[in-house]
Amino acid sequence: MIKLQLSNIKKFNLFVFFTMFAKYSVELFMPVILYKLNYNLTHILLYLLITSLLNIIVSIPATKFGKKYGFKYLIIISAFIFIAMYFLVGILKKNVIYFLLVSLLSSLTNVFYYIGRHNYAGVVLENQKIGKKVGGILIATILANMLSSIFSSI
């Protein structure tokens, strides 16, 4: 039996690739999904505005939570919120409550994930050559973005 030994940075890059692939597969097409549910352009722009504003509002408490309990828990919570958002999008109706709830969940999953991921990257990258390691993380992110766009559009 051959054991595959991966360094922490390689494991982290794989984690980034798979999580970003899943996130981009849904987030990239949220405006299209909203449009197909008969929301007009104003609603879609409002969704993006609400999500962006909530990102700002939630960032400070999320950072405090991460400092107190650990940033890996932000990533774990983000995964559960993402799953809830994904299922909610599946039953989304043209309703203000659903619309606001999806905006809130989208914001929470983004803030928790990115704050957790970037802080956890600091742990993984500690005492390493940063440029090469960050380049690998960016490559994993970009590949996930490209592939999720291709596979989600099929």
Side-chain angles (χ1 to χ4, degrees):
M1 176 196 261
I2 299 173
K3 286 189 176 182
L4 181 62
Q5 296 292 328
L6 295 176
S7 67
N8 283 342
I9 191 65
K10 288 181 182 176
K11 290 177 190 174
F12 187 73
N13 285 341
L14 284 172
F15 163 77
V16 168
F17 175 80
F18 287 115
T19 56
M20 294 309 298
F21 183 86
K23 285 176 67 50
Y24 284 143
S25 293
V26 174
E27 291 174 4
L28 185 65
F29 291 100
M30 273 306 292
V32 174
I33 292 167
L34 292 173
Y35 183 76
K36 286 192 172 233
L37 292 169
N38 295 321
Y39 285 96
N40 61 31
L41 184 59
T42 305
H43 290 114
I44 294 168
L45 292 174
L46 185 61
Y47 164 80
L48 296 171
L49 178 67
I50 290 170
T51 303
S52 296
L53 289 173
L54 287 172
N55 285 346
I56 294 168
I57 294 168
V58 173
S59 292
I60 293 170
T63 303
K64 288 181 180 180
F65 178 91
K67 285 180 182 177
K68 185 172 183 176
Y69 299 107
F71 289 101
K72 69 179 179 181
Y73 294 112
L74 283 177
I75 298 171
I76 293 167
I77 293 168
S78 166
F80 286 111
I81 295 171
F82 179 76
I83 292 167
M85 183 188 84
Y86 183 76
F87 284 115
L88 187 62
V89 166
I91 62 169
L92 187 67
K93 299 172 184 162
K94 194 166 183 179
N95 181 320
V96 174
I97 302 298
Y98 278 126
F99 182 79
L100 293 175
L101 190 56
V102 167
S103 297
L104 175 65
L105 293 177
S106 177
S107 174
L108 289 174
T109 192
N110 282 333
V111 170
F112 284 15
Y113 174 77
Y114 287 113
I115 289 174
R117 184 183 104 177
H118 291 304
N119 281 283
Y120 193 70
V123 171
V124 172
L125 298 176
E126 188 176 10
N127 299 323
Q128 309 237 352
K129 293 182 181 179
I130 301 296
K132 184 177 178 183
K133 305 304 177 189
V134 170
I137 294 169
L138 289 175
I139 289 170
T141 301
I142 292 166
L143 282 173
N145 186 357
M146 289 180 354
L147 292 174
S148 68
S149 300
I150 292 167
F151 287 113
S152 297
S153 65
I154 294 177

